[in-house]
Amino acid sequence: MSTTKPLPSTDRTGAAALRAALLAADFTADGLLDLLGAPAYAALARSETVPAVRATRGEGALETLVRLFLLQDALPHARVAQALPLEQAVAQGWLTDDGELVRATVDVRPYGGPDGEDWFIVSDLGCAVGGAGGIGSKDEGVVLGVGGASTTLAGITVRKPVASALDLGTGSGIQALHAAQHATRVTATDLNPRALRMTALTLALSGAPEAELREGSLFEPVTDETYDLIVSNPPFVISPGARLTYRDGGMGGDDLCRSLVQQAGERLNEGGYAQFLANWQHVEGEDWQERLRSWVPRGCDAWIVQREVQDITQYAELWLRDAGDHRTDPAEYAARYDAWLDEFEARKVKAVGFGWITLRKSAAAQDDPSVTVEEWPHPVEQPLGAVVEAHFARLDHLRAHDDAALLAGHFVLAEGVVQEQVGLPGAEDPEHVVLRQHRGMRRATKVDTIGAGFAGVCDGSMSAGRILDAIAQLVGEDPVLLRDRTPAQIRLLVEQGFLEPR
Ligand SMILES: C[S@@+](CC[C@H](N)C(=O)[O-])C[C@H]1O[C@@H](n2cnc3c(N)ncnc32)[C@H](O)[C@@H]1O
């Protein structure tokens, strides 16, 4: 694969004809799953092709398209002509034909939208067939297809209808494609002009509205604009030098992510959300949460979730393998590994955190920003867009209600919350009680018996204060003292989504 190879035409008529042929052959996410079976389908998503090769030995149109666009085989002219309008696809640059064998010029991957849409993600050949060998390309401008990070960001994005959305660092265009479903106007930017072409192809082949495409670094191409939604899965890898545009930001340490977060505030409309995936440094002698708090721009609330932490050796190995460096000469590999550790040592970095950053611009945040920085490495239930939106709505509620107002309010236990009692087998009383959510963030939190009793009664009919009075009578505690000490616990339960204001 070379990133100097020409890309297909972005002409929409040609793309529509190819789209029709792909759909007619059932070259869709569901069609692929049926043909390959779940294990081979999952293996393909991990860039492992052998199981898919075995499952596509037939000669049908669907097998032909999988071989051509996903497995990058060269296939006989006559066979391909039966599966799609060959001449037109060659003329548009989707395929090359030397008279005998036909090859794809790009990777075209079926991708199912949230409402069953049949979409296609177009990316450079070769990056999704590397298997355990890494991406198999050292070309710095390579445009990757969908990865785990892409779908994570798509899943956490708030999907309410908006007028304008920005996808910064659009790559194959997957975030722009999602945004096009609920934003009237979508702008997609990238430092790499090849990525902008790829985004146009993804949108055209998916039958989605066109986006405004702008080339440039970070917010440079949009300095005069503001948006209701900004999303970015940026090149967040903290590396000793920029090598691969899709992952190495080219700024020192975690400066690229910091700049992105700090500058996003000015580019957001009131009530707008900015959502990022990011990496951050854990520096010796510094609290990582404080580091992230300092990134949050003025006028924004923030919710930052650390999903994973890796020590610097794990981190260096992960990204060396990603680029296939472990397949090079051992001495070269060792030298590269050393360079990563040198860089971390110089910056006093002992680990790297990975997670999600959501900002929401709000007038209330000007004087009293609500910033949550937390660690939650456990499984969650995607998509979480609605959960993110609800999180900020609950924070608004808490900010607007002092303790007295909170006690006068009514709360409802969130759907799917259960109580677990933890203690020694056979013991009469539990050592502690855990409330656990089975939806969304799937949080668990320890509560005392008063907290558990309170949550259990919350069906919205009685005010929080009256519930506490009843509990006080039951357990023989002074109701005034109970009213004094419980609001902090109620706030935490509301903040974490166990209780919802009615
Ligand atoms: C990890 S890829 C994400 C692609 C896609 N948005 C997704 O979610 O899969 C990061 C993208 O950012 C682009 N990029 C790299 N440096 C950039 C910069 N300074 N400003 C804007 N985009 C940049 C890369 O070319 C690449 O397309």
Side-chain angles (χ1 to χ4, degrees), residues 32 35-37 39-45 47-60 62-75 79 109 128-131:
L32 263 188
L35 174 73
L36 302 181
Y41 184 84
L44 199 57
S47 309
E48 294 287 359
T49 51
V50 176
V53 169
R54 294 165 64 89
T56 52
R57 289 189 177 129
E59 295 271 312
L62 181 54
E63 282 95 336
T64 301
L65 296 174
V66 173
R67 289 264 169 166
L68 202 56
F69 287 117
L70 297 178
L71 302 177
Q72 292 154 33
D73 281 356
L75 297 181
R79 179 174 170 185
R109 204 149 288 246
V129 294

Side-chain angles (χ1 to χ4, degrees), residues 102-413:
V102 175
R103 291 180 173 80
T105 57
V106 281
D107 182 297
V108 174
R109 204 149 288 246
Y111 175 71
D115 296 316
E117 298 94 342
D118 290 318
W119 288 338
F120 298 97
I121 306 296
V122 185
S123 63
D124 265 319
L125 289 176
C127 13
V129 294
I135 64 154
S137 168
K138 304 278 183 288
D139 239 340
E140 69 164 66
V142 64
V143 180
L144 252 56
V146 175
S150 325
T151 49
T152 297
L153 177 61
I156 64 169
T157 301
V158 173
R159 298 285 172 207
K160 62 177 182 177
V162 289
S164 58
L166 169 68
D167 172 16
L168 192 154
T170 186
S172 65
I174 174 177
Q175 312 302 338
L177 177 59
H178 276 278
Q181 308 311 302
H182 60 105
T184 314
R185 187 169 63 85
V186 177
T187 305
T189 68
D190 207 290
L191 190 61
N192 181 358
R194 192 172 175 84
L196 297 177
R197 247 329 249 291
M198 228 46 114
T199 294
L201 293 171
T202 289
L203 295 173
L205 200 56
S206 299
E210 289 179 60
E212 200 181 313
L213 305 171
R214 297 198 194 172
E215 187 183 329
S217 182
L218 298 178
F219 289 103
E220 274 166 25
V222 294
T223 41
D224 296 331
E225 320 255 341
T226 55
Y227 298 90
D228 301 319
L229 174 68
I230 297 172
V231 287
S232 185
N233 167 15
F236 51 64
V237 179
I238 300 170
S239 61
R243 273 209 305 150
L244 294 163
T245 311
Y246 74 84
R247 58 166 231 198
D248 304 313
M251 292 167 89
D254 51 17
D255 276 358
L256 183 127
C257 290
R258 181 182 50 77
S259 307
L260 203 56
V261 175
Q262 285 179 336
Q263 293 172 24
E266 284 184 344
R267 304 269 71 80
L268 276 178
N269 291 329
E270 176 66 20
Y273 288 88
Q275 300 191 266
F276 308 104
L277 299 186
N279 273 186
W280 44 82
Q281 301 176 153
H282 285 227
V283 179
E284 247 173 75
E286 183 190 89
D287 176 350
W288 68 270
Q289 292 175 314
E290 278 313 309
R291 180 180 191 81
L292 284 161
R293 277 178 196 282
S294 76
W295 290 6
V296 175
R298 194 173 156 76
C300 287
D301 297 316
W303 183 20
I304 300 173
V305 184
Q306 179 166 276
R307 296 285 294 156
E308 198 183 341
V309 187
Q310 286 187 318
D311 72 48
I312 50 175
T313 61
Q314 294 171 311
Y315 189 79
E317 287 161 28
L318 170 72
W319 294 109
L320 285 165
R321 265 197 300 275
D322 168 80
D325 286 338
H326 59 308
R327 290 274 180 96
T328 55
D329 167 47
E332 200 179 311
Y333 175 77
R336 283 198 195 282
Y337 197 152
D338 225 16
W340 283 72
L341 296 186
D342 278 348
E343 170 80 5
F344 285 135
E345 210 174 87
R347 293 179 179 277
K348 294 193 166 42
V349 175
K350 51 187 178 33
V352 177
F354 165 83
W356 315 330
I357 298 180
T358 299
L359 305 176
R360 188 202 46 176
K361 187 140 174 177
S362 87
Q366 279 295 343
D367 299 323
D368 184 16
S370 150
V371 177
T372 309
V373 184
E374 61 173 325
E375 182 154 28
W376 187 250
H378 307 292
V380 296
E381 184 193 38
Q382 284 270 34
L384 282 168
V387 171
V388 172
E389 202 180 349
H391 169 90
F392 285 95
R394 291 194 308 271
L395 289 186
D396 283 345
H397 182 91
L398 291 177
R399 182 162 42 199
H401 291 76
D402 62 13
D403 285 356
L406 206 64
L407 290 176
H410 296 236
F411 298 90
V412 180
L413 187 67

